[in-house]
Amino acid sequence: MHTLFYLGIAMVAGLIFSRIVKKVRLPNVTGFLVAGLLIGPCCLKLVPSEALEGLNIITTVALGFIAFSIGGEFRIASIRAIGKNVIIITLFQSLLAAALVDIVLCVCGFNTSESIILGAIATATAPAATLMVVRQYKAKGELTNTLLPVVAMDDAVGLVVFSVSSAVASTLSSGGPVSVYSMAVKPLIEIVLSLVSGSLLGLLISVSMRFFHSRSNKLMICIAGVVLGEAVANQFGLSDLLVCMSVGAVFANLRDDALDVMDLCDGWTPPLFMLFFVISGAELDLAALPTVGVLGLIYIVVRALGKYFGAYLGAVVVKASPNIRRYLGITLLPQAGVAIGMAQMALATMPEFGARIQAVVLAATLIYELVGPVATKIALTKAGEIAPAKA
């Protein structure tokens, strides 16, 4: 069959399951992942493994737009308004989750490279699931005001941590000599070159928009910028997530109409993101699940502990209110797009561990997306930011 046929199957399955999960009040991403799993090689085989290879470009472009939208949140004015307290809390909860997962997995005897990658993935959260709860129940208060910027910044921290961790893990897994250059200098060079390349592309698309004024042309310029960012990253071995994130950040700070253009992109990308999650679900190897039982359980529990205690310690350091100390960490459990994207990259760069990492992350995503929104609702209710009648 032609690749377009399998693309159509994936879209239909995603749409059907988005309606099914809506009936039981679950996030759409859960339905997309289950749809992909069912139509993939492990179940109904409607989309065979050889067809998935032809759909890799969808995954690549979707990852680019995920990173681009994260970069768009880094407007200087917004960061100034957020204040240093939120930045400190974000760093504490992200880095403690990564460190705790790294340490516990290594102590339990799992491969060091695999542990490092899973630790980096543990940093990411899912802003969409959290935002859904806040909007649905019209939550208001200091906890909500802290939570939203934390989850927005969290993925950007995660992308940087993942880039460093990937370089270190690749060095360790290759069996090559471990040196200061390979462990520190090389990852730093990759990060700097990725940010510089993305910044130049962001400057280029910002200048280009002076000559194109229609909404459709501005949208096409952004699409071209993201696609070129992915191409540059793949050509020169850079981090495509960091390249596209810096494209979005520079563009958001140079254009007064950046928010409007970002909204145009948000209106264009839902089918792309749906396909990304369906394809990710289809690539899940069920045969790998029995081998990740203990690994997956440790990852899920330890990441949750890292998020909770990291947020608590960060809140203590900045002398935040008791409500933020007690409940912020509970609201940071959901994981989805960025975490799955990181797992996809691990699958491509380290195939010896990639399948297990992907299985762990997808299983964790399903659990976190089931438990996370409920936990967020409970935390916001106990903090008094959701009215009892609405809860």
Side-chain angles (χ1 to χ4, degrees):
M1 291 287 185
H2 196 277
T3 301
L4 290 177
F5 173 79
Y6 298 118
L7 200 62
I9 291 292
M11 295 186 75
V12 170
L15 286 170
I16 291 173
F17 274 84
S18 69
R19 299 298 300 174
I20 292 174
V21 296
K22 188 175 182 180
K23 297 294 183 182
V24 291
R25 298 181 182 273
L26 292 177
N28 281 344
V29 63
T30 305
F32 297 153
L33 291 172
V34 173
L37 178 61
L38 288 178
I39 67 173
C42 286
C43 291
L44 300 179
K45 296 182 174 61
L46 296 177
V47 180
S49 54
E50 57 270 18
L52 290 174
E53 296 178 5
L55 299 177
N56 282 341
I57 190 170
I58 301 292
T59 302
T60 300
V61 175
L63 281 173
F65 274 98
I66 289 173
F68 179 75
S69 64
I70 291 172
E73 298 293 331
F74 275 76
R75 293 179 294 277
I76 293 175
S78 299
I79 293 175
R80 285 175 178 168
I82 287 171
K84 66 178 183 180
N85 287 358
V86 171
I87 296 174
I88 290 171
I89 293 174
T90 302
L91 291 174
F92 263 86
Q93 57 86 22
S94 291
L95 298 180
L96 186 61
L100 208 57
V101 170
D102 284 347
I103 293 169
V104 173
L105 290 181
C106 287
V107 169
C108 290
F110 293 101
N111 181 273
T112 304
S113 296
E114 187 177 37
S115 301
I116 290 173
I117 292 296
L118 282 172
I121 294 174
T123 60
T125 54
T130 302
L131 188 61
M132 176 189 70
V133 175
V134 170
R135 287 180 175 174
Q136 180 176 352
Y137 297 102
K138 297 180 174 61
K140 293 180 181 179
E142 59 179 356
L143 176 60
T144 303
N145 293 338
T146 303
L147 167 63
L148 294 179
V150 166
V151 295
M153 295 179 60
D154 192 51
D155 286 337
V157 175
L159 294 184
V160 176
V161 174
F162 182 78
S163 295
V164 176
S165 299
S166 295
V168 173
S170 296
T171 300
L172 293 175
S173 64
S174 65
V178 177
S179 63
V180 174
Y181 175 79
S182 62
M183 298 288 285
V185 177
K186 186 179 177 182
L188 182 61
I189 292 174
E190 179 183 324
I191 290 173
V192 171
L193 290 178
S194 299
L195 294 176
V196 169
S197 301
S199 298
L200 292 175
L201 277 172
L203 175 63
L204 180 62
I205 67 172
S206 299
V207 172
S208 299
M209 286 194 182
R210 295 182 180 180
F211 306 100
F212 299 90
H213 304 292
S214 70
R215 291 165 60 87
S216 58
N217 282 338
K218 289 180 179 179
L219 173 60
M220 285 187 280
I221 291 172
C222 281
I223 295 173
V226 173
V227 172
L228 285 173
E230 288 285 351
V232 169
N234 292 330
Q235 180 66 32
F236 297 104
L238 304 177
S239 168
D240 52 353
L241 293 176
L242 284 182
V243 170
C244 293
M245 186 181 77
S246 54
V247 171
V250 171
F251 171 72
N253 283 286
L254 291 182
R255 294 287 303 184
D256 293 333
D257 60 349
L259 287 176
D260 293 335
V261 179
M262 287 287 186
D263 286 341
L264 286 176
C265 290
D266 289 342
W268 180 82
T269 51
L272 186 65
F273 290 162
M274 179 186 73
L275 286 170
F276 168 73
F277 288 119
V278 172
I279 293 168
S280 297
E283 289 180 337
L284 177 60
D285 183 6
L286 290 180
L289 287 179
T291 68
V292 301
V294 176
L295 176 61
L297 181 62
I298 293 174
Y299 172 82
I300 291 168
V301 173
V302 174
R303 175 185 176 270
L305 291 174
K307 287 287 182 181
Y308 180 81
F309 286 108
Y312 183 88
L313 289 174
V316 169
V317 169
V318 301
K319 300 179 180 178
S321 70
N323 270 351
I324 293 175
R325 296 183 191 185
R326 291 173 192 156
Y327 301 120
L328 179 61
I330 299 174
T331 65
L332 300 174
L333 294 182
Q335 261 195 323
V338 175
I340 293 173
M342 292 176 180
Q344 291 278 27
M345 293 185 66
L347 181 64
T349 56
M350 292 194 299
E352 64 271 32
F353 308 115
R356 284 219 312 175
I357 290 172
Q358 186 189 46
V360 168
V361 172
L362 289 180
T365 295
L366 289 173
I367 293 171
Y368 283 138
E369 288 296 290
L370 289 170
V371 175
V374 177
T376 300
K377 174 188 171 184
I378 292 172
L380 291 173
T381 302
K382 286 186 172 294
E385 300 189 7
I386 294 179
K390 292 178 180 176

